[in-house]
Every structure is written in structure tokens, then in C-alpha cells.
Amino acid sequence: MTIELLSNSSVTFDKVGFEATSAHSSASELPAQLNTSNPTYDIIWGLGARAAEVSCVDAGNAPSTWQVTPEGALIRGQAPAQSVKGLTFENYTMEFSTKIVRGGIGWTVASGRVPYGAKFYLTTSEDSSDLPSYINRTLQPVDTLVFNYGWAIVNQTTLETGPNQYFPTEIALSEDAWYTISTTISSTGYNITVDGRFLAFVPITEQTMEAATGQRFGSGSPYVGTWGFGPWEDQAAWVKDVRVTAENGTTIYSNSMTTPSQVLGEYGVAPLEASVCLDGGKRDRLIWIGDFYHTERIIAASTLRYDYILGSIEHVFQWQKPNAPFKDFVPISLPMGADLRYLDGYTDQYAGLIDYQDLFVASVGNYFMSSGDVEGLRPTWPKLKNLVQARLAYIDPSTGLVAGIRGEPDPSYFLGQANGSANTALLAYTLRSLVPLATAMQEQSTAGLYSAVAANLSEATNRHLWNAELGIYSVSLDAPSNYSLASIAWTILSGTANSTQAASSIAKMEDLRLGVGYKSTSSEADGDEVELSANILGFVLDALFYAHHTLGVDSLGVAKGLLDDYWSSMVDQDEYRSGASWEYLYPDGSPGIDLFTSLSHPWGGAPTYVLPESVVGIRAVEPGYREWTLMPAVAEMGLEHASGTTVTPFGNIAVDWRVAEDGRIHCATIFSPKGTHGYYKVPKGFSALRDGNNVKGDRIEIPGGCKVELEVRRID
């Protein structure tokens, strides 16, 4: 680390370092473990664990960035935070009082809930500021109003903005003095006054109109949208007495900004009161419920922080939508600082990426399978059933496929299209994952319903979307010749595909091969900057092992290639290596640096749960591993050794495999806790000994509470 002193004074450091407020355990210290004869696989296993650790936040560990006191709200340099009460307001005047502590003040009008809109930054004079010497006075001249419409006043890599407009002011603002600033939206521009004196008129130009109407994150108009506050960089200022008036002079909003309970939630900067998992340690810091599918499974296979899983589930279900449209849905990407009292300000959270609802529900089912925690899930079970019922209404009665609801907005999906194979198979998987939980809740009728509907969805997918001529599942009814990785993965994982269909689908992946990985769809053009999704390929990796273990498909060569080529790129490039799993890769193996890219993202960490389950082979058969099975693939993955520790409510299951004589002999030492029992199915062409004794039949029982030695030998 290099520290450069920018002033002429001196400073003495007693100690320099960072104190992380999130967990940051080394892989060797985690409760669950994996160790193989391939060091790269061991490092890959740790990537997801590290990404999950830094993406999950303890309750109380994300305080508000605003300090609200009887004097007002003290706001330090940050992206502006917007009120959720003015999202539909238009052509209004917003005024507020401010006392600048350092450098200047920033505010927005005509903004979306996220900070995209008309931005104003007003600076003080240079003599009155103790700002550091590195402040960019070209960007922020003294005694100047700086304006832009968009994300910010700097042109970031993927958050582009046009040139700033600068308005030198004749009113010199001083620090530690109160001023009243007013911004009026008119048909031609924004009129700014300070204490009733004209400061500047900012015209709405063609550039402003283009920025406002061509961006999906804003209000869609330079005249419509809410207001917010956020000084630039090292600036800081107090804000109080915010008032908004309509064109006719009627007061339509007021807030003294002196009571925390009436400020922080409204402006989306409330302290986090739940332990939750975000989409990444440094991304958009939202609780993305689709990404949570991977995060939940990673936690269960590594850190065992089940409090994060339950905390996320409970927090998200608190926001279940009480009315139509999208009644009983949950928000797909809830911000940390949101307040449930202002649910109506977050209606956009329920309308898109409908299949994220299914991924989230599936994560609940998967959590129950690993934990057996029926009591922890009991409070949310009624809400969960309501969400499932809401999703069942999206099954098209004429096709039996997942589509939309007549009379409601057309749904958008992340994994595919309406009446498509990926979405329909995912819902089938989700319903099947809930059957053990419904059974544990002693609701046999619910379990029977979910099983029956899942079977119907699989049947409809095979009837309408299996393209026998091409040997693939069509993306949708509207795209019969196109196919996708998501369709391949979920038709296999859901049990929809039989062994012939799975083998044919996996063989078609070769046509999607691009560099170190695979592009997501057959309709996507090849290119150097195609984003190869670690999220989708994580589903595929799991499906490849499922196809091998359950359907007998020769698919592990493709799985090994993904680990050796795709995931190894996250660990063998020093210039990019972060120690965590990535969000996307380019075909050359470099990270796909663009708008939706992170070098610490749990959705890229699927190997963390796939390797213990499918290489070491420890899989739950009953919830909480009361019954479990061994389904290893050690020699098939080119390994001489693979061991793993899986944590269960009863204690640890530890398995250590050794392979000798070119895969002819497989030896395992197994420890399992009391209260559990497992079994191992001897592969065809092999004989087996348990604790030195010959085994009759092809199933070896593994009792709990003791050590078991297996020797599996190929029959010549």
C-alpha cells in the first residue's frame, strides 16, 4: 500500500490496516471442507464461500449513511438518496434549507427512485472550505452550480453521462450558515433561487430530453419524478425543512427532516435490521432473490451461516405484495435501506424477472433439505404457499407451460421466454423441492398438489418443446429452433429430461462453445465480448453431474472442461484474481467488465456446492441428512484423492476417497453422526468390501455413529 501526503503538514501512523466488518475466513477454517488432489479445484471451491461471506451482512452492520438530529439531516458525500413519496410528481417546486459543513451541497429533482435524474451541485468559495487539496476544481469550481441529467457529473466506465453544464454564481455561499434553496421545474428548464434571490436557470436541452427518455432507471421525463439529496465526494451538508409545492401553489409534501423515523425509511437510507445476503460484496448492494439460489446452497456447503439464509427469507417475505397486480409476489431486488411502510414506492420490484420468484422459492426448499429446519420455516410457510399459488396462476391452461395471466401485465423472464422450456422446467423443479417441506408441515394434500403439478409441467414441456429432429428442448413455442443453456440445465435438474434427451441436449452444448465457456443461447452471435454467465453455467455444472449420477449420461467430460477452462480462469490470472467467484467472463477468460459485472458474486460460485455433492458425493436423501447417499465421481474427474466434510444438524459427515491403479480401486473412509444413515450403490462392473467383508448386492448400508471403510474394486 502507498499513502501519499497531499498537504504540507505531517502525520504519524501508529498502525495502518483494514478492519473487515464482514466474515473473511480462509477456506481451511470453514465448518465444511473440501480437499482434492487438484489444488485448482480446492481454490475454486473456496471462491463461492468467500463471495458469500462478503455478500452477507449482519443485522446492525449497515447503519444509515445519514445522521438525523433535531437540527436536520447531516449528509456526507454520497450518491443522492431519493424520497419514495414523489415518484409521480411533476412540474413542482422543491425547496429546502441547508447548512454546508464542507465544500457544497447536492440535490436532485425529476429523478427515479434510484439516483438517475436532474442533478445539481452547488459549491462554496475556496477560502471558506477545508476540503483536501486533491479536490478536482475543474469538475467542481468554487462558487458554481454544476448540472447534469443522469447518474452523476462524471462519465464512469459503464454509467455514461453527457457533458456538465456550469453556472458561475453571484451568490457566495459560506459554510456554517443556513440558506433556503428552491428548484422549480418548468416547461423550459429548472429555476434555482437561494433565499429568494435568483441563482441560475438551467434549460432543458435536447441532451437533457435524450438522457431522460432513453434510460430505464429514471422517471422517463425531465419534468416528472422525485427529489433527493447527496453532496459530492468529500462535501457534507445539513438539510432540513423540505417542502414541495404544485404549480398552483398548493403544498403537496413537507418534511422537517429532524425525526429519524420520518426520514430514513422514506429516503431509502434506513439502517439494516435483518441479517441478509446481497448479490455481491461490492455491486449494487441489493437483495436479489434469484441470485440467492446459489448463495443459499453455497452457505449450506461452506460457512453454515444459516442465520443469513433464514434472515433473508424472513426479510423478503415481509415485503410480500398485498394487492394486484403481482399479488403475493416478493420483491426481486430489494435495497438494504428500504422501509416496509413505503411498499407502494417499490412496485417496480414485483413486475420483472418473474422466474426469480421460482428461484427464491426453490432456495427455501433446498435450505430445508440441507437443514431439516421445519420450525425455522414455519412462520413463513403460509406466505410461501401464497407465493406458489400466485405462480401457478401463470400456467397457460391451453399449453400447460409457464406464461402469463390474462388481464395482468405481460411477464418478463430472466432464464427464457413465456411458454418456454427453461421457465416451465424451473417451476417443476421448484415444486418438487417443496414436497419434503410440505410433508414435514403435515400437509399431504399440498405435497400431492405440488408433485402433480410438477409432473404436468414436465409432461407439457416434453409434449410441446422437445424438438426430436434437432435433439434439443426449444427455447419456447415462438422459437422452436433455438435452445439455451438454461433450458438444458433445468430440464435435466427438474427430472423432465430422460437419459436420451439429456445426452442429446448436452451434446448440443458443443455448438454453444465459445472460448473458455459457452454462450447462453443458440441465437446469440459469437464475439470477443459475449458475456459467459457464471450463473447459468452454475446451473449447467450441477445438471451435468445430475445427468451422470441419476441418468447414466456420459457428461463428466463437459463438467471437467468447465472447471478446467472456465472456473480456473477465476484463479490463475493474477491481474484479475479477487479470491471470490465472478459474475461473468469473456471468451478469453478475462472478467466481463461491463454494467452488470462483479469480481465477487456468489452466483458464480456453484462449484462450492457441486463439488462436495457430486465429486465427493455426499447428498441428502431426507431433510437434514437424516438419510444420505454417496454418489462420487473422483476417478471420473481425473482425481486420485477427494475428501469432504458436510455439516448436518446431527454432526459432520466426513468422507475421504482414494483412487489407485488407474481407477481400478476406490477406497473410502467414512465418518457419520448418530441419528443418520447413508448408503452407497456399487457401480456395475465393481465388487465391494465394507470393513473388510464382502458385500452382497449393490447397496452398502452406512450406519451412523461409527467409522466405515469401503473398498470398491473393478471386476476384471
Side-chain angles (χ1 to χ4, degrees):
M1 175 187 294
T2 300
I3 299 176
E4 181 180 356
L5 189 61
L6 298 175
S7 65
N8 293 324
S9 58
S10 62
V11 62
T12 301
F13 292 99
D14 178 59
K15 184 184 295 184
V16 176
F18 295 99
E19 182 178 352
T21 56
S22 64
H24 53 290
S25 308
S26 66
S28 62
E29 297 172 342
L30 296 173
Q33 286 292 302
L34 178 87
N35 183 269
T36 74
S37 54
N38 187 331
T40 299
Y41 288 4
D42 297 350
I43 298 172
I44 289 172
W45 177 81
L47 297 179
R50 173 54 59 87
E53 276 197 321
V54 300
S55 298
C56 298
V57 184
D58 290 297
N61 208 13
S64 177
T65 55
W66 288 18
Q67 181 181 340
V68 178
T69 74
E71 189 176 1
L74 175 60
I75 308 172
R76 299 170 179 86
Q78 67 165 74
Q82 282 64 234
S83 168
V84 295
K85 291 188 173 182
L87 296 173
T88 61
F89 288 14
E90 58 183 307
N91 296 327
Y92 56 79
T93 295
M94 189 275 290
E95 69 175 27
F96 64 98
S97 296
T98 185
K99 181 170 71 172
I100 297 171
V101 176
R102 186 173 61 247
I105 176 64
W107 70 96
T108 62
V109 297
S111 175
R113 180 173 49 78
V114 296
Y116 188 92
K119 285 186 165 55
F120 305 88
Y121 294 96
L122 181 58
T123 61
T124 57
S125 64
E126 188 170 21
D127 293 340
S128 65
S129 174
D130 63 352
L131 285 169
S133 60
Y134 59 76
I135 293 300
N136 184 340
R137 285 303 182 189
T138 301
L139 179 67
Q140 288 266 280
V142 298
D143 294 330
T144 300
L145 178 73
V146 185
F147 169 80
N148 209 317
Y149 194 102
W151 289 111
I153 57 173
V154 294
N155 195 19
Q156 301 180 55
T157 304
T158 56
L159 300 178
E160 297 179 1
T161 189
N164 295 328
Q165 297 181 48
Y166 292 89
F167 300 86
T169 65
E170 296 181 0
I171 302 175
L173 272 64
S174 301
E175 294 176 356
D176 297 321
W178 284 100
Y179 301 93
T180 298
I181 297 177
S182 173
T183 305
T184 299
I185 305 173
S186 71
S187 60
T188 56
Y190 308 104
N191 190 64
I192 317 296
T193 66
V194 175
D195 290 340
R197 298 169 56 194
F198 174 79
L199 181 79
F201 179 78
V202 180
I204 293 177
T205 63
E206 184 176 339
Q207 172 193 323
T208 308
M209 290 297 299
E210 182 179 350
T213 57
Q215 232 294 340
R216 65 189 176 100
F217 291 101
S219 66
S221 167
Y223 310 105
V224 178
T226 191
W227 55 90
F229 305 96
W232 184 257
E233 285 189 342
D234 291 281
Q235 296 174 351
W238 290 91
V239 171
K240 69 175 183 179
D241 297 333
V242 180
R243 185 165 67 98
V244 179
T245 55
E247 284 184 290
N248 62 7
T250 303
T251 298
I252 53 178
Y253 170 89
S254 64
N255 191 327
S256 67
M257 306 294 279
T258 58
T259 305
S261 63
Q262 297 176 8
V263 175
L264 301 180
E266 177 191 332
Y267 284 84
V269 290
L272 182 65
E273 297 179 351
S275 295
V276 298
C277 292
L278 312 175
D279 66 330
K282 190 177 181 182
R283 178 65 161 72
D284 44 20
R285 306 280 288 171
L286 303 174
I287 306 168
W288 280 97
I289 61 173
D291 305 27
F292 186 66
Y293 175 91
H294 291 294
T295 306
E296 180 279 324
R297 295 194 67 184
I298 289 169
I299 290 173
S302 59
T303 69
L304 273 294
R305 287 294 303 270
Y306 282 159
D307 56 320
Y308 286 141
I309 298 176
L310 272 180
S312 298
I313 293 170
E314 292 167 357
H315 185 66
V316 168
F317 270 114
Q318 286 180 357
W319 285 76
Q320 191 163 32
K321 198 166 186 290
N323 48 26
F326 307 111
K327 183 179 183 297
D328 289 321
F329 277 24
V330 292
I332 62 170
S333 59
L334 190 66
M336 283 195 296
D339 188 317
L340 184 58
R341 293 175 298 169
Y342 304 101
L343 184 147
D344 289 344
Y346 294 86
T347 54
D348 61 305
Q349 286 289 312
Y350 302 87
L353 307 185
I354 303 297
D355 41 358
Y356 268 35
Q357 307 288 329
D358 304 335
L359 287 168
F360 180 66
V361 172
S363 71
V364 178
N366 290 336
Y367 166 67
F368 178 67
M369 199 63 184
S370 62
S371 69
D373 184 14
V374 66
E375 293 307 318
L377 292 173
R378 194 177 297 280
T380 56
W381 174 241
K383 296 180 179 181
L384 180 68
K385 289 193 297 179
N386 288 341
L387 173 53
V388 172
Q389 198 62 37
R391 284 295 292 129
L392 296 186
Y394 281 74
I395 299 174
D396 188 327
S398 63
T399 65
L401 302 171
V402 174
I405 296 181
R406 182 176 298 175
E408 291 207 0
D410 290 336
S412 65
Y413 290 95
F414 180 77
L415 296 174
Q417 302 172 4
N419 281 303
S421 52
N423 307 321
T424 304
L426 169 60
L427 184 54
Y429 172 94
T430 298
L431 293 171
R432 289 189 173 106
S433 75
L434 292 180
V435 171
L437 179 56
T439 302
M441 294 290 179
Q442 298 183 335
E443 295 191 15
Q444 295 300 332
S445 60
T446 302
L449 171 66
Y450 292 170
S451 293
V453 175
N456 291 339
L457 290 169
S458 291
E459 189 278 330
T461 303
N462 280 318
R463 175 160 40 95
H464 292 292
L465 296 173
W466 175 249
N467 188 323
E469 181 179 352
L470 296 178
I472 50 94
Y473 283 96
S474 302
V475 164
S476 68
L477 293 177
D478 293 334
S481 298
N482 293 338
Y483 59 99
S484 71
L485 292 178
S487 294
I488 293 170
W490 287 110
T491 52
I492 293 172
L493 290 171
S494 65
T496 298
N498 60 32
S499 58
T500 301
Q501 292 167 323
S504 178
S505 297
I506 292 168
K508 292 292 288 187
M509 282 181 58
E510 185 59 32
D511 295 338
L512 302 179
R513 182 79 193 202
L514 187 60
V516 300
Y518 299 83
K519 61 184 183 180
S520 295
T521 66
S522 60
S523 60
E524 189 173 13
D526 292 352
D528 294 338
E529 295 189 356
V530 173
E531 292 177 333
L532 309 180
S533 171
N535 173 34
I536 304 299
L537 286 171
F539 301 140
V540 171
L541 184 68
D542 197 15
L544 292 169
F545 281 101
Y546 181 93
H548 168 77
H549 288 306
T550 306
L551 301 175
V553 176
D554 182 14
S555 55
L556 295 192
V558 182
K560 190 174 187 304
L562 277 175
L563 291 168
D564 293 346
D565 298 335
Y566 186 83
W567 267 280
S568 67
S569 297
M570 301 183 191
V571 304
D572 62 9
Q573 302 179 83
D574 289 341
E575 65 268 42
Y576 301 125
R577 180 175 174 176
S578 66
S581 50
W582 300 352
E583 189 173 8
Y584 289 98
L585 273 71
Y586 284 144
D588 66 358
S590 62
I593 301 297
D594 211 321
L595 180 60
F596 298 110
T597 299
S598 167
L599 296 184
S600 178
H601 204 295
W603 87 356
T608 302
Y609 60 84
V610 171
L611 291 175
E613 287 188 356
S614 298
V615 176
V616 179
I618 308 170
R619 283 180 173 262
V621 176
E622 292 184 3
Y625 292 86
R626 185 178 296 275
E627 182 179 5
W628 53 277
T629 183
L630 271 181
M631 302 177 72
V634 181
E636 295 90 336
M637 295 300 291
L639 300 172
E640 297 175 353
H641 159 251
S643 64
T645 300
T646 296
V647 181
T648 81
F650 302 94
N652 293 350
I653 300 172
V655 178
D656 186 353
W657 284 101
R658 304 280 170 173
V659 178
E661 297 186 12
D662 297 326
R664 295 175 60 83
I665 300 176
H666 301 236
C667 298
T669 302
I670 305 165
F671 296 89
S672 59
K674 290 182 179 180
T676 72
H677 67 277
Y679 65 88
Y680 171 73
K681 293 196 71 173
V682 182
K684 291 182 179 180
F686 284 80
S687 62
L689 300 175
R690 191 188 83 176
D691 296 328
N693 299 312
N694 288 317
V695 175
K696 295 181 180 180
D698 63 354
R699 176 171 166 138
I700 301 176
E701 298 296 330
I702 305 171
C706 62
K707 171 184 174 182
V708 172
E709 298 280 357
L710 292 184
E711 181 180 309
V712 185
R713 184 182 296 267
R714 185 184 299 276
I715 301 172
D716 292 329

